[in-house]
Amino acid sequence: MHSNPDLLALLALGEPVGTPEDHRHLAGCDTCRAELTALQEVVGVGRRTTIQDVLVSPPPQLWQRISHELSLHPSIDGTGPSANAAGPTLLTYELPDPTTARSGIASAAAADPAAEPRDGTGDGPGGDDPPTPADRTAPAPSSRSIRVASLVLAAALALAVGIGLGGNLDRLVPGTRETASVELNALPPWPGASGKAVLEQDRDGNRWLVVDIVSPEAPSGPREVWLSNTRAEPMMAMGFLRSDGSGRFPVPPEMDLASYPLVDVSQEPKDDESPGHSGNSMLRGKFPV
Amino acid sequence: MTVSSDDDLDALVTDFLAGDERALEKIYRRFSALVFTVALRSLGDATEAEDVVQKVFVAAWTGRHTYKPERASLSAWLMGITRNKVADTHQSRTKQRRIQNEVGANISAPPDTLDIADRLIIADEISRLDAVPQRVLKLAFYEDLTHAQIAERLQLPPGTVKSHIRRSLIKLRRRLEVAANAQQP
């Protein structure tokens, strides 16, 4: 009998699991070994993904070029419900073109309401607006839509960086300097909770959000850190705090923090099916802009 | 329609192979960012990357009869075409430079599109997993937690965590499948 698939998955992740009998079988079975190798490859690629591995959407007019070249039926005009919205943690926002003087996500969004960042939770059934005709007839966009696929992934990476080093990482990373800090204030349902958020920049110019919280109430599920603008829309998921209430999250290089000064820590439900904010905020603070 | 589950994607492939133009549009919506990003990362030029995207989807449509779903996942097949188009662009740049006899032209080897593509596919697919399996996998990948630790952290039964891990890894593997062998139409 071949190896249990669960066992192969755990072995691929490097967990020391399985009985001697399991290992004997694996050593002698080409099928199971090939399966394990394939899974190990996936794990390897997965662990090599970095914050840079973020998908960038091509400009909206590109579909028209393709459709024109292939002489597709004009009714297929690229305005159908987006299939690209499926990524549950995707956030779409506008990044200013470096050749323009404007900077900042908020200014880009303000200049073009259609480009307003959205978190995919508050929209229609598809969770993502199809491009409107106005999008396509607008003058050449001065900003490029960036699809941030991996914010949560990035946050998880930060945790990976931090794991084993304990709290106060800022003290342990040479060349890192604090650029801003803010006390986090408890919201009414969370009396006694307190915390602090610090922005840091390391020697290479990478920015980090370091959060530490203390709460008298035991976690009822994961606690997640968010950055948002003053309208709390969209909420950018930065990642989950560790069980000791601390976390260190990389800030994507293209993210304009002046547009995301609000720090929010949420209590997420234990079996959370939704990638969005639970609505249960514990603590909030605002970085001075 | 959101193309998230394997079933949706399978149905889409069937329609695509049958010549349904709407299926091409949906495939474009689902994968154009992946193709564009791979091209952009390799070429470092948005205009050239856009041209690659156009060529890839045109080639995919005109060469759809060469796609064998049983041999490669759709993303792997598209990545195969993308790699070829990106390589063509690098090549024509090199020629261009020779023609112009550009002094000091730095003809560097194209970056490893294969690993970039794999990482982007995986990062994208992870982001498309449902919330709970996604959390489980991220804890396993990036925090190096064992399934028992993940079970404790997320307060889930260990058996549930194990099956999430298995299902997610198998799902990701299907996306990477035979990316290296994907043929150009």
Side-chain angles (χ1 to χ4, degrees):
Chain A
M1 195 178 112
H2 285 312
S3 300
N4 177 323
D6 283 352
L7 178 78
L8 291 178
L10 294 181
L11 285 171
L13 282 163
E15 283 200 41
V17 289
T19 61
E21 197 181 330
D22 290 329
H23 296 163
R24 264 199 303 280
H25 168 79
L26 198 51
C29 175
D30 289 345
T31 311
C32 289
R33 268 214 317 283
E35 176 78 8
L36 178 61
T37 306
L39 293 177
Q40 280 169 332
E41 196 177 316
V42 170
V43 171
V45 174
R47 286 186 169 147
R48 282 201 301 282
T49 55
T50 71
I51 184 175
Q52 306 294 331
D53 295 323
V54 163
L55 294 189
V56 184
S57 296
Q61 312 87 319
L62 189 54
W63 170 254
Q64 271 64 41
R65 276 163 53 187
I66 293 167
S67 173
H68 183 255
E69 181 174 347
L70 291 172
S71 309
L72 300 185
H73 194 276
S75 72
I76 303 174
D77 57 1
T79 59
S82 172
N84 219 355
T89 61
L90 291 186
L91 288 164
T92 307
Y93 65 90
E94 298 290 314
L95 185 73
D97 187 307
T99 58
T100 68
R102 285 195 325 189
S103 70
I105 296 160
S107 60
D112 179 8
E116 186 165 326
R118 38 186 181 252
D119 64 3
T121 55
D123 296 313
D128 194 8
D129 292 329
T132 63
D135 286 338
R136 284 178 288 113
T137 54
S142 64
S143 54
R144 186 168 297 287
S145 176
I146 300 274
R147 201 162 264 277
V148 178
S150 310
L151 285 177
V152 177
L153 184 82
L157 265 168
L159 290 175
V161 169
I163 196 89
L165 295 179
N168 286 328
L169 271 162
D170 44 334
R171 305 286 167 265
L172 296 174
V173 181
T176 297
R177 64 187 175 91
E178 186 176 311
T179 55
S181 78
V182 64
E183 296 294 328
L184 301 178
N185 299 312
L187 274 80
W190 298 90
S194 64
K196 190 179 180 189
V198 176
L199 279 173
E200 295 178 358
Q201 191 151 26
D202 67 23
R203 261 195 303 226
D204 300 325
N206 301 311
R207 298 172 302 169
W208 299 84
L209 174 66
V210 182
V211 175
D212 278 287
I213 70 158
V214 182
S215 165
E217 281 189 60
S220 57
R223 287 170 171 173
E224 194 161 11
V225 176
W226 309 78
L227 286 180
S228 70
N229 62 19
T230 45
R231 288 171 297 134
E233 183 70 27
M235 305 289 282
M236 306 286 268
M238 302 303 290
F240 297 101
L241 293 174
R242 288 187 301 225
S243 52
D244 67 358
S246 71
R248 191 165 194 271
F249 313 105
V251 178
E254 63 275 15
M255 188 173 177
D256 178 6
L257 284 172
S259 305
Y260 290 84
L262 279 189
V263 185
D264 179 293
V265 179
S266 70
Q267 174 68 66
E268 297 292 319
K270 184 170 65 174
D271 296 314
D272 195 8
E273 290 298 336
S274 154
H277 191 287
S278 63
N280 187 359
S281 287
M282 301 175 64
L283 295 148
R284 273 191 198 149
K286 187 180 172 206
F287 284 113
V289 178
Chain B
M1 155 177 178
T2 58
V3 185
S4 50
S5 76
D6 287 354
D7 289 347
D8 290 344
L9 211 49
D10 289 346
L12 193 53
V13 166
T14 308
D15 293 346
F16 170 69
L17 292 176
D20 181 345
E21 296 179 355
R22 286 180 195 284
L24 175 68
E25 184 204 23
K26 285 179 182 142
I27 288 170
Y28 176 82
R29 289 167 170 281
R30 171 69 177 75
F31 292 110
S32 59
L34 179 64
V35 172
F36 182 65
T37 308
V38 168
L40 188 63
R41 293 272 294 271
S42 176
L43 296 166
D45 181 294
T47 309
E48 285 181 327
E50 287 168 25
D51 290 344
V52 166
V53 175
Q54 183 168 355
K55 285 176 188 159
V56 167
F57 284 92
V58 167
W61 181 247
T62 53
R64 59 187 182 275
H65 58 278
T66 66
Y67 174 50
K68 303 277 179 271
E70 66 280 5
R71 295 224 310 257
S73 68
L74 188 60
S75 51
W77 183 64
L78 289 171
M79 282 301 102
I81 305 172
T82 305
R83 269 193 295 281
N84 288 326
K85 301 299 178 199
V86 166
D88 290 350
T89 308
H90 277 292
Q91 211 162 29
S92 71
R93 271 184 185 178
T94 309
K95 272 188 203 147
Q96 201 76 29
R97 279 174 179 153
R98 271 194 210 122
I99 292 164
Q100 293 170 348
N101 195 18
E102 197 177 313
V103 178
N106 183 14
I107 303 166
S108 52
D112 181 3
T113 31
L114 187 61
D115 195 52
I116 295 171
D118 281 353
R119 294 204 315 265
L120 288 169
I121 290 172
I122 291 295
D124 184 44
E125 291 301 334
I126 291 173
S127 76
R128 285 166 197 274
L129 293 173
D130 289 340
V132 172
Q134 187 176 136
R135 276 185 183 159
V136 166
L137 199 64
K138 285 174 176 172
L139 290 171
F141 274 6
Y142 308 118
E143 286 203 59
D144 253 339
L145 299 188
T146 65
H147 75 280
Q149 289 167 324
I150 295 169
E152 201 187 326
R153 169 88 69 101
L154 299 182
Q155 294 164 33
L156 291 171
T160 305
V161 171
K162 274 198 260 189
S163 74
H164 278 318
I165 289 175
R166 167 179 47 85
R167 281 202 298 261
S168 299
L169 286 184
I170 288 172
K171 204 172 205 174
L172 298 186
R173 194 189 69 179
R174 281 191 58 189
R175 293 289 179 267
L176 283 187
E177 228 153 32
V178 284
N181 302 329
Q183 292 172 350
Q184 178 172 21

